[in-house]
Amino acid sequence: MSKNPSLEGDEATPIPEAIKRFKRLRLVFEPSLGVLGFFLVGLCLVFSFFYLDYTNVAQTKSHDFSDQSDRFLWLKELDVGSGVNNNTTTNGNRVEFLDESGNGCDVFHGRWVWDEAYPMYQSKDCSFLDEGFRCTEFGRLDVFYTKWRWQPTHCDLPRFDGKLMLEKLRNKRLVFVGDSIGRNQWESLLCMLSSGVENKDSVYEVNNRTITKHMGFFVFKFHDYNCTVEYYRAPFLVLQSRPPIGYPEKVKTTLKLETMDWYADKWRDADVLVFNTGHWWNYEKTIRGGCYFQEGAKVRMKMKIEHAYRRAMKTVVKWVREEVDSNKTQVFFRTFAPVHFRGGDWRTGGTCHMETLPDFGASLVPSETWEHLKLLGDVLSPLYHSNTSHAAAKLKLLNITAMAAQRNDGHPSLYYLGSASPAPVHRQDCSHWCLPGVPDAWNEILFALFLKHEGYSRSNSGDSDNFT
């Protein structure tokens, strides 16, 4: 027996008491621990996604992301006959665009189909590309965006043939005029044409200039054909210059809505002239930067941007009607190419780096795009409904807005900084286009329209003038 039973009792009682206290504490902390655990697991998942999507892409330069994967075989079944060798079994009632039966075909009404024969060139094989368009060379792993071909609903476009187009351009000038999206298309065509030239040294910039977005113009000569493919930077098409004396200090520059750009005299005598504008007709590029609108000697301080754009387009049409020789020059106006920012815009962290497949519903395209297209249509429609004006014959529309609206997958996103790519996730380029890519399709249509004008058909060597 213990010599001190009272002490034993005092020492024994804390044990069950401690157990009770522990149980009470466990009831209090168990829910908190569960919530904490759930939070930590969720946090790990989020970081894993960011790691796989960004860090891994940034550090990986090998392109092992194969389009032969079983996961993507369904893409090739979207259009059974989309390959160039299968048209005879699936083209239904489609006609050849270059044949006389294709005269009424709307080449801008159609769909994107998967084609294993694409792309037509690789960026690494084209020395003319700006680094900002060389997406696969600077980190973009997926190449599915290069595999889509534009298929008009009611006719088949001719397969692009660089040698044929150069032959048709012999002793001629093809000129692009517009903003950086126009430069995007111009560089695409340089690559497409040069892929058919064996001696790459025979293609050169006549002033020894390296392509950069900061230069005003470039003239590339294809020596063996004595032709040039040129680009002139004129984002508004009309003249931007100093304001008249006497206006507030906030007026840094003005757009003279009744006057064409300084370089207009250099465009006049081109054999093929391709205009575009649109991406600079917004608040950021005009009013916010101190650029206002001028008519005559008066600056219209309260003029709305859409009204100024309409006035400028009327000036362009007037210039084409009065200054361009329609017997010599084919004039095209390419419509607005949509942007595809998700969750914001270029200033507010909008992104497109997760877009790897086309969005056939064009759900990311802002409503302003369609308003812009309608406004342009309002300006141009009188030309096509007038019995007296010859301007409609002079100005053809490259109406690429709807087809480009579906190609949210074609932008540089994180990969527009060249060797410094990837860019920060919140500073993405969802306006320009990777090359090879979407602008190649615009040039395929340009090629078809150009050949049509030249009287070329698949059954004709091109010496006939039947379709001019």
Side-chain angles (χ1 to χ4, degrees):
M1 289 185 67
S2 170
K3 295 181 179 179
N4 195 347
S6 63
L7 183 59
E8 279 186 4
D10 290 341
E11 290 177 350
T13 51
I15 295 175
E17 203 53 47
I19 293 172
K20 289 178 183 179
R21 289 177 182 174
F22 175 74
K23 287 181 178 180
R24 286 197 296 270
L25 287 172
R26 187 176 65 179
L27 289 173
V28 172
F29 282 106
E30 271 185 347
S32 300
L33 289 171
V35 171
L36 182 62
F38 181 79
F39 174 76
L40 289 173
V41 170
L43 197 61
C44 289
L45 286 172
V46 170
F47 274 110
S48 296
F49 280 124
F50 271 104
Y51 178 79
L52 291 172
D53 179 49
Y54 184 71
T55 309
N56 199 35
V57 171
Q59 294 178 348
T60 305
K61 296 299 180 183
S62 60
H63 300 87
D64 298 326
F65 208 95
S66 174
D67 61 4
Q68 303 300 322
S69 169
D70 291 341
R71 294 173 56 204
F72 297 99
L73 289 177
W74 63 272
L75 287 171
K76 302 169 188 178
E77 298 172 4
L78 285 177
D79 186 84
V80 177
S82 63
V84 292
N85 296 322
N86 298 324
N87 284 339
T88 55
T89 60
T90 60
N91 63 3
N93 295 321
R94 291 201 301 265
V95 297
E96 294 294 337
F97 175 68
L98 293 182
D99 292 346
E100 191 170 5
S101 58
N103 286 356
C105 180
D106 179 3
V107 294
F108 304 102
H109 182 275
R111 59 179 179 145
W112 293 98
V113 296
W114 184 267
D115 194 328
E116 284 294 333
Y118 280 61
M120 292 177 281
Y121 61 90
Q122 298 294 338
S123 62
K124 61 183 177 60
D125 299 324
C126 183
S127 61
F128 312 117
L129 287 185
D130 187 300
E131 282 192 344
F133 307 146
R134 297 176 179 271
C135 304
T136 57
E137 292 183 64
F138 293 108
R140 181 165 181 173
L141 298 183
D142 70 290
V143 294
F144 308 120
Y145 69 94
T146 68
K147 294 290 187 180
W148 296 95
R149 173 175 59 82
W150 181 251
Q151 174 61 63
T153 303
H154 300 296
C155 61
D156 288 325
L157 294 172
R159 179 75 173 176
F160 184 84
D161 185 333
K163 290 183 178 180
L164 175 59
M165 188 167 188
L166 285 169
E167 194 58 55
K168 291 292 182 181
L169 285 172
R170 185 178 290 277
N171 303 318
K172 295 180 179 180
R173 296 173 62 212
L174 192 162
V175 174
F176 287 84
V177 179
D179 55 29
S180 57
I181 310 299
R183 180 169 57 86
N184 214 166
Q185 183 182 2
W186 168 70
E187 291 186 29
S188 160
L189 187 59
L190 281 179
C191 292
M192 293 167 72
L193 291 173
S194 64
S195 64
V197 176
E198 293 183 8
N199 180 11
K200 304 301 182 185
D201 292 335
S202 68
V203 184
Y204 55 89
E205 209 286 320
V206 297
N207 298 304
N208 295 316
R209 292 175 171 175
T210 301
I211 293 178
T212 168
K213 61 184 178 181
H214 303 295
M215 298 297 292
F217 68 92
F218 299 95
V219 179
F220 271 80
K221 185 168 186 176
F222 288 75
H223 183 269
D224 294 342
Y225 298 89
N226 192 37
C227 70
T228 57
V229 181
E230 309 170 27
Y231 165 75
Y232 291 84
R233 183 179 180 273
F236 297 106
L237 297 183
V238 294
L239 180 62
Q240 183 176 18
S241 64
R242 295 177 181 177
I245 297 173
Y247 281 90
E249 188 176 340
K250 68 177 182 178
V251 182
K252 307 296 184 185
T253 60
T254 63
L255 289 175
K256 295 185 176 180
L257 302 177
E258 300 166 314
T259 306
M260 291 293 285
D261 187 90
W262 292 113
Y263 287 120
D265 285 344
K266 294 182 178 294
W267 318 331
R268 181 184 289 107
D269 296 325
D271 297 277
V272 183
L273 184 55
V274 184
F275 285 118
N276 94 282
T277 188
H279 283 268
W280 283 50
W281 289 95
N282 57 57
Y283 178 77
E284 297 294 327
K285 296 290 189 180
T286 56
I287 307 300
R288 184 170 182 174
C291 179
Y292 289 80
F293 310 114
Q294 181 178 341
E295 289 183 306
K298 186 172 182 179
V299 178
R300 305 290 184 181
M301 301 294 293
K302 295 184 178 180
M303 180 178 275
K304 293 183 178 179
I305 296 170
E306 57 267 29
H307 293 163
Y309 175 74
R310 183 190 297 269
R311 183 68 188 85
M313 291 305 96
K314 288 182 177 180
T315 297
V316 174
V317 170
K318 181 175 182 289
W319 182 85
V320 170
R321 183 189 295 120
E322 297 178 356
E323 300 292 333
V324 174
D325 179 2
S326 61
N327 295 318
K328 172 182 172 60
T329 305
Q330 293 185 62
V331 185
F332 298 90
F333 191 98
R334 180 179 58 71
T335 60
F336 188 79
V339 300
H340 293 93
F341 289 96
R342 187 184 293 275
D345 56 30
W346 69 274
R347 291 178 296 107
T348 59
T351 67
C352 56
H353 66 300
M354 296 292 288
E355 312 295 330
T356 56
L357 295 173
D359 172 16
F360 297 120
S363 61
L364 290 181
V365 176
S367 60
E368 292 83 0
T369 296
W370 310 114
E371 294 168 7
H372 188 284
L373 185 61
K374 182 180 183 302
L375 193 155
L376 181 63
D378 291 344
V379 174
L380 298 181
S381 60
L383 302 179
Y384 299 94
H385 295 90
S386 171
N387 295 324
T388 58
S389 175
H390 296 290
K394 290 185 176 184
L395 185 61
K396 299 180 177 66
L397 205 62
L398 282 175
N399 189 9
I400 58 86
T401 302
M403 61 186 285
Q406 303 173 37
R407 296 306 307 275
N408 51 297
D409 57 327
H411 299 289
S413 63
L414 301 168
Y415 310 106
Y416 63 93
L417 297 179
S419 57
S421 295
V425 175
H426 64 282
R427 295 292 293 176
Q428 298 194 23
D429 181 355
C430 305
S431 302
H432 296 94
W433 303 89
C434 296
L435 293 177
V438 174
D440 301 339
W442 309 344
N443 286 326
E444 285 184 282
I445 294 176
L446 177 64
F447 169 69
L449 294 173
F450 173 66
L451 289 186
K452 189 86 166 178
H453 182 274
E454 293 290 306
Y456 182 89
S457 74
R458 285 178 19 148
S459 58
N460 192 307
S461 65
D463 296 327
S464 171
D465 238 5
N466 292 337
F467 308 141
T468 56

